[in-house]
Amino acid sequence: GRLVIGTLLPTDGDTAGVAAAQIAAVEVAVRELNDNGGVLDEPVTVFHRNSGVEPGGELEAAFADLVERGVDVVIGPFSDALVEQALPLAAEAGVALISTGATGELAGADEGYFARVVATDYLQGLTIGQAVVADGASSIAVIASDDAYGEAIADGVADAAAASDAASSAVVTITASDTSATSTVADADAVIVATSVALADVTAGMLADLLDASLSPASLWLASAAAADYSGSLDAGALEGARGALLGADADDEFVERLRFADPFLGGFRWAPEAYDAVLLAALAVTVIGDDGGASIIAGLPQVARQGAPCTSYGECLQFLIDEP
């Protein structure tokens, strides 16, 4: 009957700044819940633990500690690999996982204890494809890395093109050793670059080749992993007119102020809105179902997230659910 929240985020390594912003957002959300009387008339408590950056014993020990403390829902892990390690642990313990950053196809995600507040790679590809079609492109080329990320983006684009009578798509797969894509895509109306972070240097060289082949930057669409900083590889302004996709919502000034109150030393705010949303959605699900178990939280999420009016606070969202016929 008492909602206990845990976070399992990488507080060291390259993504430590992201974790700090999310932890601050969770604190903001929990404070908001308790200022509104808690959940099921009980105060909400939260525990933070380090997931580490790679699958291994650190995550397993951290998850076991959270379970020992009676958590009902864990915000995290952030990456696909860490989520896949945590999923069987969550199913065994009956704890819900809500990831703010895992976008790939995940083994074990259908066990009834997992949700995410970020679009999958496939949905990103579908959305980019729909935008390209709406922009008037009839021939679409997808330059995809030879991995699950590139394949999922390409599948989404293909489905968007197939749903249109006016567009068709073709996929060119590249690897670190084979980047001969420029000659096959130069005539396309739109070129979508869906290469993974691991191929960042290869992507930079390929973009330079495409521009040298007179491809207009306005024809380029960069998926999230390819929408990177190329200032060290391309001339200033070389990509002016290109479009890109970035995952995550922007934090407005009011929310940034609340985050800084929770952690005055934050250097960035990306992915903080998703962590805040994850906590409030879990709390609303508990309220609607009337139970704080992990399976109940996952079952309740669609009821509080899929339809209805937009709302920006726990009290506002709860009032909408109460007033809903």
Side-chain angles (χ1 to χ4, degrees):
R2 180 170 183 154
L3 179 61
V4 182
I5 297 170
T7 68
L8 197 56
L9 298 164
T11 56
D12 50 25
D14 293 341
T15 53
V18 171
Q22 292 188 57
I23 289 169
V26 170
E27 289 288 342
V28 167
V30 169
R31 184 177 295 113
E32 181 178 324
L33 292 173
N34 288 334
D35 285 347
N36 280 273
V39 174
L40 300 182
D41 297 322
E42 292 287 344
V44 178
T45 54
V46 61
F47 300 99
H48 304 291
R49 293 296 180 268
N50 182 15
S51 67
V53 294
E54 299 290 341
E58 188 169 10
L59 180 141
E60 192 168 322
F63 194 90
D65 185 65
L66 289 173
V67 171
E68 186 176 344
R69 294 176 184 276
V71 299
D72 303 296
V73 57
V74 169
I75 309 304
F78 186 72
S79 71
D80 290 0
L82 291 173
V83 168
E84 286 194 326
Q85 184 187 2
L87 279 169
L89 305 176
E92 181 180 359
V95 171
L97 294 182
I98 305 179
S99 178
T100 57
T103 61
E105 294 296 323
L106 303 168
D110 56 353
E111 295 293 326
Y113 291 94
F114 177 71
R116 49 183 148 198
V117 287
V118 61
T120 63
D121 297 329
Y122 169 81
L123 285 176
Q124 182 189 164
L126 183 68
T127 302
I128 294 173
Q130 290 169 340
V132 170
V133 170
D135 198 52
S138 58
S139 59
I140 306 168
V142 183
I143 301 176
S145 48
D146 188 16
D147 54 22
Y149 173 80
E151 181 180 350
I153 298 283
D155 286 347
V157 173
D159 285 352
S164 167
D165 295 332
S168 62
S169 67
V171 180
V172 177
T173 301
I174 71 166
T175 65
S177 59
D178 179 14
T179 60
S180 56
T182 55
S183 61
T184 59
V185 303
D187 295 332
D189 294 333
V191 177
I192 299 171
V193 181
T195 50
S196 60
V197 174
L199 291 179
D201 291 339
V202 172
T203 302
M206 185 194 62
L207 288 173
D209 291 342
L210 288 169
L211 296 172
D212 288 343
S214 299
L215 183 74
S216 169
S219 298
L220 277 173
W221 298 70
L222 307 178
S224 58
D229 181 1
Y230 297 108
S231 58
S233 306
L234 302 176
D235 294 335
L239 291 176
E240 186 173 350
R243 283 160 282 194
L246 289 177
L247 299 178
D250 291 332
D252 62 24
D253 292 341
E254 186 272 338
F255 188 52
V256 167
E257 185 177 345
R258 295 172 71 189
L259 291 171
R260 282 184 166 147
F261 182 81
D263 184 352
F265 301 103
L266 283 180
F269 311 101
R270 193 173 181 203
W271 299 110
E274 285 70 31
Y276 172 86
D277 283 358
V279 173
L280 264 60
L281 286 167
L284 291 166
V286 169
T287 304
V288 166
I289 297 294
D291 178 73
D292 63 340
S296 295
I297 290 172
I298 298 299
L301 287 175
Q303 299 182 44
V304 301
R306 280 187 177 165
Q307 57 187 340
C311 50
T312 58
S313 69
Y314 175 70
E316 184 183 351
C317 296
L318 186 60
Q319 189 61 49
F320 174 82
L321 291 170
I322 292 172
D323 292 343
E324 189 179 36

